Amino acid sequence: DAAINRIAAGEVVERPASAVKELVENAVDAGARRITVEYADGGKTLIRVTDDGCGIAPDDLPLALSRHATSKIDGTDLLNIHTFGFRGEALPSLGAVGRLTITSRAAGQGGAEVTVSGGKMGAVKPAALNSGTVVTLRDLFFATPARLKFMRTDRAEAQTIGDVVKRLAMAEPFVQIVLRDVSGDGAGREVFRADAEQGELFDALHGRLARVLGREFADNSLRIDAEREGLHLTGFAALPTYSRGSAVAQYLFVNGRPVRDKLLTGALRGAYFDFLSRDRHPAAALFLDCDPTLVDVNVHPAKSEVRFRDPGLARGLIVSALRHALANAGH
Ligand code: ADP
Ligand code: MG
């Protein structure tokens, strides 16, 4: 079982940033309003995610660390997914390739803690904690030396952690997200902070994008809001006069999930066709929401790919919504 966990872990956890992604998604799924991510040495020696979410009851702690145990779906409805997590793979995988400690407290329960190291689970012990969950992952890949060799410099891994955290922060404007580098003396250096945005969704989103992508983008982008056959598109797309130079800032979220997909690049090229001589990579942060049955997120364990039942519909909606917004703005 430990061996199976280590093999599966390779698919879920490729590097420190993928561990961070899984842990932050778990915190969001747990309804957290505040999430703090700390790392040391590019996440290689330490990753710690603290949240104020619903917590885990002591009796459920061993279950949370067991393979394919998820509290989020009952297993019969893999197509109808509303949470980030649904495979029950992340925690057992992390416990298989590193030293994972979960300290948690659910409402009306005592705090408890359990450690899994190299796939071996210790006993659940009482622990002092007010509420929420702290997940600490030390020595990632100590149990799989071959993987260790594929890690890049601390700086590069830290950069990727930052990218992942910012990407997740874009999709959760009402959640406070803080990223801290606690390498060395542990005093900690704040790398990124986004306080919870206030107001209506669009205002909150605008504020959050200003935080993550810069005020310049937020002040030079068009509000997108369109719907077609059950697909709902919201977000912001850059005015043709705005350019980030060579930096590509094209973000697509499907049902709140950060997605890497050629669909967006292609749709943006289509929508901005007449302006591409000025900026080959128009910036945009777009959120596509639809009935979960219209999209398959179960393509890869790391879940950054999606498969639309009708890709042409999604592309068409993006192109027409952006063209419409550009035309309205006089372009
Ligand atoms: P999944 O997210 O696919 O369900 P995970 O292995 O990531 O699988 O987590 C297993 C289970 O542990 C979750 O279903 C959830 O019940 C619990 N869990 C994990 N992280 C947290 C957290 N931060 N707060 C509350 N519960 C959590
Ligand atoms: Mg999860």
Side-chain angles (χ1 to χ4, degrees):
D1 198 38
I4 292 171
N5 277 343
R6 277 201 290 275
I7 293 163
E11 293 194 13
V12 182
V13 195
E14 287 170 351
R15 51 199 307 187
S18 25
V20 168
K21 174 172 179 286
E22 294 294 335
L23 297 179
V24 173
E25 287 181 349
N26 279 349
V28 171
D29 281 347
R33 311 313 299 168
R34 289 160 191 263
I35 302 172
T36 302
V37 181
E38 294 164 299
Y39 64 86
D41 308 309
K44 295 172 188 170
T45 58
L46 173 76
I47 292 168
R48 187 190 295 122
V49 177
T50 304
D51 72 60
D52 63 353
C54 65
I56 308 170
D59 290 350
D60 293 338
L61 270 179
L63 199 63
L65 289 160
S66 310
R67 198 151 180 69
H68 298 306
T70 173
S71 62
K72 294 168 194 173
I73 55 165
D74 63 8
T76 58
D77 199 7
L78 264 180
L79 285 177
N80 201 0
I81 293 161
H82 295 273
T83 52
F84 280 118
F86 57 88
R87 292 167 169 271
E89 275 182 341
L91 294 183
S93 297
L94 295 172
V97 296
R99 305 183 210 278
L100 182 76
T101 298
I102 304 180
T103 312
S104 194
R105 182 167 182 180
Q109 305 271 339
E113 182 170 289
V114 69
T115 295
V116 193
S117 187
K120 293 196 183 65
M121 200 186 311
V124 176
K125 296 177 194 155
L129 187 82
N130 282 333
S131 65
T133 302
V134 184
V135 182
T136 309
L137 178 65
R138 290 184 196 279
D139 306 326
L140 183 61
F141 299 133
F142 90 93
T144 50
R147 281 249 150 218
L148 261 182
K149 277 190 256 164
F150 286 101
M151 295 237 249
R152 297 182 302 171
T153 61
D154 291 1
R155 207 188 138 98
E157 297 296 352
Q159 173 79 43
T160 312
I161 289 174
D163 290 346
V164 161
V165 167
K166 286 175 189 169
R167 204 175 272 261
L168 291 168
M170 280 189 238
E172 304 293 338
F174 298 112
V175 178
Q176 181 198 61
I177 299 189
V178 176
L179 179 63
R180 208 174 282 136
D181 183 347
V182 295
S183 304
D185 62 9
R189 179 177 65 88
E190 196 168 282
V191 178
F192 172 75
R193 161 184 289 265
D195 289 322
E197 301 290 338
Q198 311 292 323
E200 298 291 319
L201 178 62
F202 260 110
D203 294 336
L205 199 53
H206 193 254
R208 183 53 64 94
L209 292 178
R211 194 96 200 91
V212 178
L213 297 177
R215 175 61 52 198
E216 193 71 0
F217 168 76
D219 290 346
N220 289 283
S221 60
L222 298 164
R223 178 179 154 159
I224 307 298
D225 191 7
E227 219 213 301
R228 183 187 288 181
E229 291 173 49
L231 291 188
H232 193 178
L233 183 73
T234 53
F236 290 86
L239 285 162
T241 46
Y242 171 75
S243 171
R244 289 174 69 91
S246 58
V248 180
Q250 300 181 335
Y251 300 92
L252 177 65
F253 299 79
V254 175
N255 289 342
R257 263 168 219 287
V259 155
R260 284 172 205 280
D261 205 297
K262 290 198 182 69
L263 179 96
L264 178 65
T265 325
L268 285 170
R269 295 193 138 260
Y272 286 79
F273 189 76
D274 296 339
F275 313 108
L276 288 175
S277 57
R278 270 186 258 173
D279 183 0
R280 284 164 41 81
H281 304 288
L286 297 173
F287 301 78
L288 199 51
D289 289 291
C290 63
D291 190 289
T293 58
L294 295 180
V295 59
D296 181 13
V297 292
N298 200 16
V299 181
H300 183 269
K303 295 167 290 186
S304 56
E305 289 169 40
V306 289
R307 202 169 287 151
F308 287 97
R309 199 188 278 171
D310 183 352
L313 181 64
R315 187 186 190 279
L317 173 63
I318 296 176
V319 173
S320 72
L322 266 57
R323 282 205 180 139
H324 188 75
L326 287 164
N328 272 351
H331 292 279

